[in-house]
Amino acid sequence: MAETTVTEVLAELAELEDPRIRAVNERHGDDHGVNLTQLRAVAKRLKTQQHLAVELWASRETAARLLALLICRPKAFERDELDAMLRDARTPKVHDWLVGYVVKKNPHAEELRLAWIDDPDPAVASAGWALTSDRVAKKPDGLDLTALLDTIEADMKDAPDRLQWAMNTCLAQIGIEHAEFRARALDIGERLKVLEDYPTPPNCTSPYAPSWINEMVRRKELAAR
């Protein structure tokens, strides 16, 4: 099979561009107009191609970067590569996919979590908090949950939006997964009222931490019966 070139992939993505989708995405800070289901179909066809992924990332086009994150080998990146990629991730979707699909699966994830969580750039710090939330839920051993709650209590209320969202997610995960800290997590959420009025569609769980914690705990208790 002939090797697919970056030029061919970029041309295919350009063909998939839909102005209506772009208009919706741009309201959320994402400058691309490719339907994500179609993008995933392209990724499924291309399969894993690390060299092509690196070339697509270098194009700096958002749709191409999202595709790159779907076809790359997460464990193939060095620590400094991922740090540079995060700092160059210009849009929310690219940032979220980079952290969720690549960094979390990379051997340097914990080292990056520790480096990022106190970074002066709030977008970078939010990635550190996202990785911390993942550890709170999946591998909490070694985490100082009291210290995390102290920081959230002190800093979340006035944090920039992306960082605030990531800290709020960590607060909710602590309350959901760790019963001994649940009362304090609920108290912090109720006092700070972060995302209390966030518009939430029907049948969806609110990101307001007290509502989120109580709903997920309720579901766990139902499942355990």
Side-chain angles (χ1 to χ4, degrees), residues 57 69 82 85-86 89 94-103:
W57 183 271
L69 297 172
L82 291 173
M85 288 168 72
L86 184 79
V94 170
H95 182 283
D96 290 346
W97 282 22
L98 174 61
V99 175
Y101 294 168
V102 180
V103 179

Side-chain angles (χ1 to χ4, degrees), residues 27-43:
R27 290 200 289 271
H28 302 285
D30 290 308
D31 56 347
H32 77 93
V34 179
N35 178 283
L36 293 182
T37 300
Q38 293 178 313
L39 188 77
R40 291 181 186 279
V42 174

Side-chain angles (χ1 to χ4, degrees), residues 120-167:
D121 182 335
V124 176
S126 74
W129 280 96
L131 293 170
T132 300
S133 294
D134 193 59
R135 270 206 61 190
V136 166
K138 297 176 182 177
K139 294 189 295 182
D141 289 351
L143 288 178
D144 187 339
L145 299 183
T146 297
L148 289 174
L149 288 173
D150 289 344
T151 301
I152 291 168
E153 186 171 21
D155 299 341
M156 182 173 72
K157 181 75 171 178
D158 298 319
D161 288 351
R162 175 168 282 274
L163 177 55
Q164 184 184 72
W165 185 279
M167 295 177 82

Side-chain angles (χ1 to χ4, degrees), residues 68-191:
L69 297 172
L70 294 174
I71 68 170
C72 72
R73 289 188 178 89
K75 295 180 180 179
F77 293 103
E78 296 298 328
R79 178 208 180 280
D80 289 348
E81 285 183 284
L82 291 173
D83 183 71
M85 288 168 72
L86 184 79
R87 294 175 191 280
D88 192 42
R90 299 173 300 108
T91 66
K93 185 69 73 177
V94 170
H95 182 283
D96 290 346
W97 282 22
L98 174 61
V99 175
Y101 294 168
V102 180
V103 179
K104 283 182 182 179
K105 301 175 183 177
N106 185 274
H108 302 288
E110 178 62 11
E111 183 183 352
L112 289 168
R113 181 187 76 82
L114 294 170
W116 288 343
I117 197 166
D118 294 319
D119 196 276
D121 182 335
V124 176
S126 74
W129 280 96
L131 293 170
T132 300
S133 294
D134 193 59
R135 270 206 61 190
V136 166
K138 297 176 182 177
K139 294 189 295 182
D141 289 351
L143 288 178
D144 187 339
L145 299 183
T146 297
L148 289 174
L149 288 173
D150 289 344
T151 301
I152 291 168
E153 186 171 21
D155 299 341
M156 182 173 72
K157 181 75 171 178
D158 298 319
D161 288 351
R162 175 168 282 274
L163 177 55
Q164 184 184 72
W165 185 279
M167 295 177 82
N168 182 73
T169 299
C170 190
L171 174 65
Q173 289 299 332
I174 291 172
I176 293 164
E177 301 293 341
H178 301 277
E180 67 274 29
F181 293 96
R182 187 168 297 146
R184 187 180 176 199
L186 288 167
D187 177 65
I188 291 171
E190 288 164 358
R191 283 188 291 104

